[in-house]
């Protein structure tokens, strides 16, 4: 029988199918979030995008780690959807993306683990479970340091004419963004966090510009001081980071960690490969 492991964010879900002979196959689908999707919507996404890629396998166990999977009240949406398309399942475990990040980043060692992707989050992990976390308020009220936050800050600075002239010209030439389009995507269309996170390549491409470098370091510093520094363990435990924003902006992230007096840990683009080893060994 085969094992299926998933690491799901707001934008995409990374899957690993582990065959009976131990071979691992990578699969990718859209992001799956029970806060934004009903059981029917999630089932349809899985039926169209996941099922054709695992239909040949006899999947009996699924370990799913995802954003929005905060407890039984919403986790059942994921488990019900998986059982609908894979009726032979014997084990379905749905956990938060934070636990997946922690297990991937540090295994069984204690540490502070942060997610910096489309959204952001942080927790204390004692080597077995999450012992302390933050109360995430989502994109509009939180998510400091995330791709959504970085993109929102960049776009806001552009429209409020805080970007230096050279960056304003480059931004306008690249995106030709006007106010009606911005407001429609921000307030009327779904997933505004994804929309704003899509502007982060501009930041990455111009990271050598002092204004961009300052914007990114300031965003990470705000995240660290708002959440991580408040953990009593922050003086003793290393701080690990998981997510595409942490990975692609590793240098300004290290600067922010150093400036806030924290202990730098691992940086992973995604935890799914280490989660495969975690569950194989478990």
């Amino acid at each position: 029988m085969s094992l299926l492991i998933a690491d799901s964010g707001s934008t995409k879900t990374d899957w690993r199918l582990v065959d009976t002979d131990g071979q691992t196959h990578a699969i990718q689908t859209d992001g799956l979030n029970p806060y934004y999707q009903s059981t029917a919507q999630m089932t349809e996404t899985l039926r169209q995008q996941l099922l054709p890629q695992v239909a040949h396998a006899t999947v009996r166990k699924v370990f799913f780690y995802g954003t929005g999977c905060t407890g039984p009240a919403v986790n059942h949406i994921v488990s019900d959807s998986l059982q609908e398309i894979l009726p032979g399942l014997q084990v379905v475990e749905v956990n938060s993306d934070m636990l997946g990040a922690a297990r991937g980043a540090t295994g069984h060692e204690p540490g502070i683990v942060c997610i910096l992707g489309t959204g952001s989050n942080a927790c204390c992990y004692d080597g077995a479970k999450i012992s302390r976390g933050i109360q995430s308020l989502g994109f509009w009220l939180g998510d400091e340091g995330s791709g959504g936050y970085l993109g929102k800050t960049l776009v806001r600075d552009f429209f409020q004419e805080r970007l230096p002239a050279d960056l304003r010209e480059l931004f306008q030439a690249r995106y030709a963004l006007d106010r009606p389009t911005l407001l429609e995507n921000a307030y009327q269309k779904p997933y505004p966090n994804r929309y704003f996170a899509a502007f982060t390549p501009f930041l990455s491409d111009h990271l050598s510009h002092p204004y961009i470098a300052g914007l990114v370091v300031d965003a990470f510093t705000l995240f660290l001081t708002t959440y991580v520094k408040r953990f009593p363990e922050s003086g003793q435990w290393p701080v690990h980071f998981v997510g595409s924003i942490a990975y692609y902006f590793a240098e300004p992230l290290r600067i922010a960690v150093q400036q806030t007096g924290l202990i730098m840990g691992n940086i992973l683009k995604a935890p799914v490969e280490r989660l495969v080893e975690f569950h194989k060994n478990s």
Side-chain angles (χ1 to χ4, degrees):
M1 66 180 178
S2 300
L3 169 67
L4 196 57
I5 299 168
D7 169 45
S8 185
S10 296
T11 304
K12 63 181 175 65
T13 304
D14 286 320
W15 302 81
R16 293 296 182 270
L17 177 67
V18 184
D19 289 340
T20 51
D21 59 1
Q23 294 296 311
T24 302
H25 308 275
I27 300 168
Q28 192 173 100
T29 68
D30 289 345
L32 301 167
N33 190 327
Y35 271 126
Y36 296 123
Q37 294 168 286
S38 66
T39 302
Q41 290 171 325
M42 191 173 293
T43 299
E44 188 59 25
T45 298
L46 291 170
R47 191 183 308 281
Q48 291 183 6
Q49 299 181 23
L50 177 67
L51 186 58
Q53 302 187 74
V54 301
H56 66 283
T58 305
V59 180
R60 290 291 181 261
K61 294 182 179 180
V62 177
F63 297 94
F64 186 98
Y65 300 90
T67 184
C69 298
T70 55
V74 289
N75 289 4
H76 76 89
I77 294 175
V78 181
S79 58
D80 290 350
S81 300
L82 286 165
Q83 288 171 330
E84 176 68 23
I85 69 156
L86 300 170
L89 286 178
Q90 298 171 351
V91 175
V92 182
E93 288 190 13
V94 179
N95 291 294
S96 69
D97 56 346
M98 279 296 347
L99 183 60
R103 287 176 170 176
T106 186
H108 296 286
E109 297 296 321
I112 296 172
V113 181
C114 307
I115 292 176
L116 291 175
T118 303
S120 65
N121 209 336
C123 76
C124 290
Y125 175 70
D126 65 9
K129 66 183 184 303
I130 293 174
S131 57
R132 198 187 308 273
I134 66 173
Q135 192 168 20
S136 176
L137 297 177
F139 173 66
W140 287 117
L141 298 178
D143 272 358
E144 294 87 349
S146 69
Y149 181 90
L150 288 170
K152 180 174 63 175
T153 304
L154 171 66
V155 171
R156 184 181 60 203
D157 284 3
F158 170 76
F159 277 95
Q160 294 179 350
E161 300 186 0
R162 287 201 290 263
L163 279 184
D166 56 338
L167 290 174
R168 282 183 55 80
E169 292 178 7
L170 291 168
F171 184 91
Q172 183 59 25
R174 183 164 177 171
Y175 297 108
L177 183 62
D178 56 36
R179 187 174 181 272
T181 301
L182 169 67
L183 296 181
E184 179 184 6
N185 281 277
Y187 296 109
Q188 296 179 18
K189 291 187 177 181
Y191 305 114
N193 54 344
R194 294 185 191 176
Y195 173 75
F196 284 102
F199 291 99
T200 56
F202 184 89
L203 296 172
S204 179
D205 291 345
H206 301 285
L207 194 54
S208 60
H209 195 291
Y211 190 91
I212 298 297
L215 184 155
V216 175
V217 171
D218 287 349
F220 290 153
T221 300
L222 178 62
F223 170 80
L224 295 170
T225 55
T226 302
Y227 303 112
V228 177
K229 289 285 285 186
R230 296 180 63 185
F231 293 142
E233 296 87 346
S234 64
Q236 295 81 38
W237 289 3
V239 185
H240 306 280
F241 298 90
V242 174
S244 58
I245 295 300
Y247 182 83
Y248 288 113
F249 293 92
E251 188 54 36
L253 179 57
R254 289 190 177 96
I255 292 172
V257 169
Q258 182 180 27
Q259 289 180 349
T260 49
L262 297 166
I263 304 168
M264 191 71 202
N266 299 321
I267 298 178
L268 302 179
K269 184 178 180 181
V272 67
E273 300 295 349
R274 293 199 183 187
L275 286 171
V276 169
E277 296 306 314
F278 181 92
H279 285 288
K280 277 184 177 180
N281 295 332
S282 298

